[in-house]
Amino acid sequence: MSLAGGAGLALATGLPGLAQTDGLASMTGGVVPIGKAERLARMARAQGLMKAQGLSALVVEPGASLTYFTGVRWNRSERVTAAIIPVEGEVLIVTPHFEEPSVRETLAVPGQVRVWQEDENPAAVVAAWLKDLKLGAGKIGVEETVRFFVSDGLARLLPDATIVPGAPVVRGCRMIKSPAEIALMQVASDITMAAYRHTWPRIERGMRPSDIGAIMNKATLALGGDPEFALILLGEASAYPHGSGKPQAVRDGEVVLMDCGCAVEGYQSDISRTFVFGEPTKKQRLVWDHVHRGQQIAFETAQVGVAAGAVDDAVRAYYEPLGYGPRYRLPGLSHRTGHGIGLDGHEPVNFVHGEATKLAPGMCLSDEPGLYLPGEFGVRLEDCLHMTASGPKWFSVPPPSLDKPIG
């Protein structure tokens, strides 16, 4: 739901929980944004990886990676704005002429800005710059989300160049978070947990998912976070990880599954909680307890040097003798045990079978081995962790029991 939609809903429904935030105060007063020195260190790290892999340059379009390296916050459109990081020297930003002042507002590292007019080809600007630097015949890496027409346009103008994936460079930088990044993610997680504690006691019989989401988002804003998502699944809809389009309302004895997150300086949180409105059944308690244990098994398995896929395998080794699965079959765990998180809500590396990447200090991942029973209900507990030299550490601590489901 958009922010405007949530605010409008609060006024329209008159529900007291939607209209008030009970004096919640911002938690971001001590936040320290990513500084110039850290961005320069990121650039140096990328250039070191490029040199080791024989790349001449790296092309990055707007999105999390552009912000990560340059500070530039921009949206993609048919009008190309991009960064080109050379193997040595300062970055180049290419943007439409009329966008230059706006793009410069967030440029946080030294670099050139070259513009193109509406009747010109932006790829020609990039190609000319690379040729001037004697880099036009080398290997040009493209960040993995760069659109085809961008890389293809560059390839056509640089026939002696080789266009190759830039993911090893970008992932080599972004997968390992610095203390400053982890601190921002910690604040984001703290805000989401505070918003959960505000929202949970305000859930009432008959509320729709949009009503609950509006309470959560309003609290998140009051606490200083930028709401990213508030997925609310009620009753049978909780059996489907990303929900159902059928009408839903809070009912006695039914599951409420909330999956919510926010951003602080662009760094994200992602936390899920599952509880029952009213008195839980024996089966609901049992499945909740199974997920709670599965989450702990994932946490215990996630040690430095362990392959990320082994975490997923360990959870399924616990679930399958209980009658779930096997593998991704339902009832059971139909998705990976967790995903990387940072400036993007989902980013490498993942807790998924076959992932050979070894866990290392600075990696940040979700831990969410949900169980889903089609036609009945689902349970997902999700907390994110970051790897330290001595093992994993929670950003948010899992709840102790279904009777204390927020934590």
Side-chain angles (χ1 to χ4, degrees):
M1 172 183 293
S2 69
L3 179 57
L9 180 64
L11 296 175
T13 62
L15 290 169
L18 294 178
Q20 300 178 21
T21 52
D22 293 320
L24 295 177
S26 175
M27 300 171 64
T28 60
V31 162
V32 179
I34 300 299
K36 179 180 177 181
E38 179 153 338
R39 291 197 199 279
L40 289 174
R42 294 171 177 179
M43 198 75 72
R45 168 69 173 162
Q47 290 175 322
L49 291 171
M50 289 163 61
K51 190 172 294 185
Q53 295 171 32
L55 299 188
S56 299
L58 175 71
V59 180
V60 182
E61 277 205 272
S65 291
L66 183 66
T67 302
Y68 178 86
F69 287 115
T70 71
V72 172
R73 298 177 185 272
W74 202 249
N75 294 317
R76 297 185 189 193
S77 75
E78 77 283 4
R79 292 185 173 102
V80 174
T81 290
I84 298 83
I85 302 173
V87 68
E88 293 180 347
E90 295 181 351
V91 66
L92 169 70
I93 306 293
V94 173
T95 194
H97 175 264
F98 65 91
E99 302 286 23
E100 180 183 2
S102 301
V103 168
R104 283 189 180 275
E105 285 182 358
T106 52
L107 179 58
V109 295
Q112 295 185 45
V113 178
R114 293 194 180 186
V115 301
W116 57 276
Q117 303 291 352
E118 290 280 70
D119 60 349
E120 296 177 334
N121 182 356
V125 178
V126 177
W129 184 77
L130 289 171
K131 288 177 180 178
D132 288 345
L133 294 179
K134 311 299 183 187
L135 300 176
K139 288 201 297 185
I140 310 297
V142 292
E143 195 260 355
E144 56 195 305
T145 68
V146 168
R147 294 168 292 180
F148 175 76
F149 82 87
V150 175
S151 59
D152 183 61
L154 193 57
R156 291 175 184 273
L157 292 171
L158 294 173
D160 295 325
T162 304
I163 306 298
V164 300
V169 173
V170 177
R171 293 186 181 191
C173 296
R174 288 185 55 191
M175 278 199 308
I176 305 299
K177 272 63 176 182
S178 69
E181 292 178 286
I182 289 172
L184 292 171
M185 294 174 69
Q186 185 63 65
V187 176
S189 293
D190 292 345
I191 287 172
T192 299
M193 285 306 306
Y196 266 121
R197 288 190 287 270
H198 172 87
T199 301
W200 178 51
R202 289 167 173 78
I203 296 174
E204 300 176 3
R205 184 182 299 104
M207 280 186 172
R208 299 163 295 171
S210 57
D211 298 325
I212 300 171
I215 300 173
M216 188 75 185
N217 285 339
K218 196 172 182 70
T220 298
L221 280 168
L223 292 161
D226 296 321
E228 285 286 331
F229 54 92
L231 176 66
I232 315 299
L233 308 178
L234 305 176
E236 183 188 347
S238 63
Y240 313 107
H242 288 160
S244 164
K246 295 180 180 179
Q248 301 167 46
V250 175
R251 296 184 177 89
D252 289 333
E254 289 194 346
V255 162
V256 177
L257 193 162
M258 299 179 64
D259 186 344
C260 305
C262 74
V264 172
E265 294 290 326
Y267 285 87
Q268 298 198 27
S269 63
D270 190 357
I271 303 171
S272 297
R273 292 292 181 260
T274 301
F275 47 91
V276 175
F277 187 82
E279 185 61 31
T281 66
K282 183 177 180 180
K283 187 171 187 179
Q284 288 168 339
R285 286 188 178 278
L286 182 65
V287 176
W288 196 99
D289 287 344
H290 287 160
V291 175
H292 187 257
R293 179 59 190 145
Q295 195 183 33
Q296 291 297 321
I297 288 172
F299 184 81
E300 293 163 5
T301 306
Q303 300 296 321
V304 171
V306 170
V311 176
D312 187 75
D313 294 342
V315 172
R316 295 181 196 279
Y318 165 65
Y319 280 166
E320 290 179 8
L322 298 174
Y324 302 113
R327 288 178 46 78
Y328 299 97
R329 294 180 187 172
L330 295 171
L333 171 55
S334 54
H335 55 71
R336 62 197 173 197
T337 292
H339 56 80
I341 185 170
L343 281 170
D344 284 316
H346 288 187
E347 58 183 55
V349 65
N350 299 309
F351 288 145
V352 66
H353 175 73
E355 177 55 69
T357 302
K358 301 292 178 61
L359 297 176
M363 288 184 175
C364 300
L365 306 99
S366 72
D367 179 350
E368 49 176 317
L371 288 172
Y372 308 96
L373 287 64
E376 298 184 67
F377 64 90
V379 174
R380 182 160 67 248
L381 304 176
E382 178 183 12
D383 295 275
C384 293
L385 59 86
H386 59 95
M387 298 302 300
T388 74
S390 58
K393 182 177 180 180
W394 293 115
F395 280 110
S396 56
V397 178
S401 69
L402 182 54
D403 296 314
K404 297 178 179 180
I406 301 302

